Amino acid sequence: MKLSSRILTSLVLLLTLVSCGEDINPNYQEEVAEPEFYHRSVKQLTDVIVHDIFSPPVASRIYSYSSIAGYEALAAGDPGLESLAGQVPHLAPAPAPPAGTEIAYPVAAVVAQLRVGKSLIFSEPKMDEFRDGLYEEIRRIGVPEEVFQASVAYGEQVADHIIDWYGGDMYKQTRTFPKYSITDDETKWQPTPPDYMDGIEPSWERIRPFTLDSASQFRPLPPTDYSLEPDSRWMQEVNEVYTVFTGVDEQESAERQAIAQFWDCNPYVSHTVGHLMFATKKITPGGHWVNIAAIAAKQADADFARTVETYALVSMAMYDAFISCWEEKYRSKLVRPETFINRHIDQEWRPLLQTPPFPEHTSGHSVVSRACAVVLTDLYGDNFAFADDSEEEYDLPTREYPSFLAASDEAALSRLYGGIHYRPAIEYGVTQGEAVGQHLLERISTRAQITEARSQ
């Protein structure tokens, strides 16, 4: 009787596997831990962010919460990773995985990342189509169906936990806050051509940060005093922007233009040709650094855990950097070079790049790029040379850098070449981003052994 029961059980299992068209792969746990699955999931989210035209601060929110979800799902099953719960003061521990159930934690991480990403964008069908195709690929590896379903269920549990958490970050409330108020004060920011858009996210300093004590914790030095005196420091800084392509040879001029265009990262650029108006879409500054994170992880042959860790830390750094930067932008509310130069120097002048719709000081590129570069340097080293092909799909050639910090320096300077920032916003922004990035590294430990050592 016992033998018959065993035979019957075996036959049922065999019929189940055959009916599913499934051959169990004894190495499935190793094969589902291929980092390319996660890289592709993040890239899909980037493509949807570009399609849906999210502003840079909002894009940073999408990247960070989805990446944290993937990280927390993986950390639940990886003793080498430390949960972010408690380290981020307002993040509670994720649900514990069910006892006695086998889970492929890399699958759960992909599920959590995709589900949270989907919850934060508009084009949900694009995420669904990608998800379904990726799930089929994972199934074809030979993951037992019960393990696959348990992994999906746990990933969704973690995603629900993160979705509930981000609901308290003040984002919904800021959707109802007043718009930026334009005044007659000519020292203050005014909407710029060609679209004269309202100031983007004037209340972003109210968004809850991850590690900052407050949005103003690393408030930068103030901008130079406004002045119409010809010999004033202010006018010198204005003239540097106005004459940035004057007095340089053709080769240097071309290089400055190439740098500005490579780091433009404007999610929505308007074009007017005769009576025709159209727009081009591109990645945000944060999206560019997420792609650099992918380049670094692949070049270093990072395993699944290091890959997920990289995305989480970089996206958290950019998120806090945007909060820090936007607090200063809407505190100082400084006028953009385009507006000042058109009023007082040359009414026909236009910057090389389209001026973004928010105040000038400090430079978002400078703050965010430096914060991300600091984190990547901590992960992959100070002299990590890499080729950045992030803009190739936008018809811009690859650029090479000897380090992440060198890339962030160029990203910052690109805003001067683009005609959209004065030098103090760039230099003070780099200092601000450095402080944000270092602060995050001091507060967050993703490796369990590091956290244990610090507590001793």
Side-chain angles (χ1 to χ4, degrees), residues 393-411:
E393 61 185 295
Y394 307 106
D395 300 321
L396 293 171
T398 295
R399 294 185 68 82
E400 296 185 359
Y401 301 99
S403 68
F404 302 115
L405 296 179
S408 71
D409 285 339
E410 185 180 275

Side-chain angles (χ1 to χ4, degrees), residues 43-186:
K43 181 60 169 66
Q44 173 65 17
L45 184 60
T46 290
D47 290 345
V48 174
I49 288 172
V50 171
H51 178 273
D52 288 350
I53 319 176
F54 287 102
S55 70
V58 175
S60 77
R61 181 173 181 264
I62 299 170
Y63 282 123
S64 58
Y65 283 114
S66 60
S67 295
I68 290 172
Y71 178 88
E72 287 294 290
L74 186 67
D78 188 335
L81 293 178
E82 185 77 8
S83 171
L84 299 173
Q87 298 191 77
V88 177
H90 38 81
L91 174 60
T101 301
E102 184 180 358
I103 292 174
Y105 287 96
V107 175
V110 169
V111 170
Q113 186 271 338
L114 285 173
R115 179 158 177 178
V116 172
K118 175 186 171 180
S119 74
L120 292 164
I121 50 86
F122 302 137
S123 299
E124 294 185 359
K126 290 181 178 293
M127 296 297 287
D128 288 340
E129 182 180 359
F130 173 84
R131 177 204 61 203
D132 293 345
L134 194 67
Y135 282 7
E136 285 307 308
E137 286 188 49
I138 293 172
R139 277 192 167 102
R140 286 198 294 270
I141 287 174
V143 181
E145 187 63 18
E146 65 272 19
V147 174
F148 178 79
Q149 293 297 341
S151 304
V152 170
Y154 183 64
E156 290 179 344
Q157 268 191 293
V158 174
D160 289 341
H161 172 68
I162 298 300
I163 290 169
D164 182 65
W165 172 49
Y166 76 56
D169 71 355
M170 286 294 292
Y171 179 79
K172 289 181 181 179
Q173 291 88 332
T174 59
R175 303 308 89 190
T176 66
F177 289 180
K179 294 181 179 181
Y180 172 83
S181 297
I182 301 171
T183 71
D184 293 330
D185 185 346
E186 68 171 23

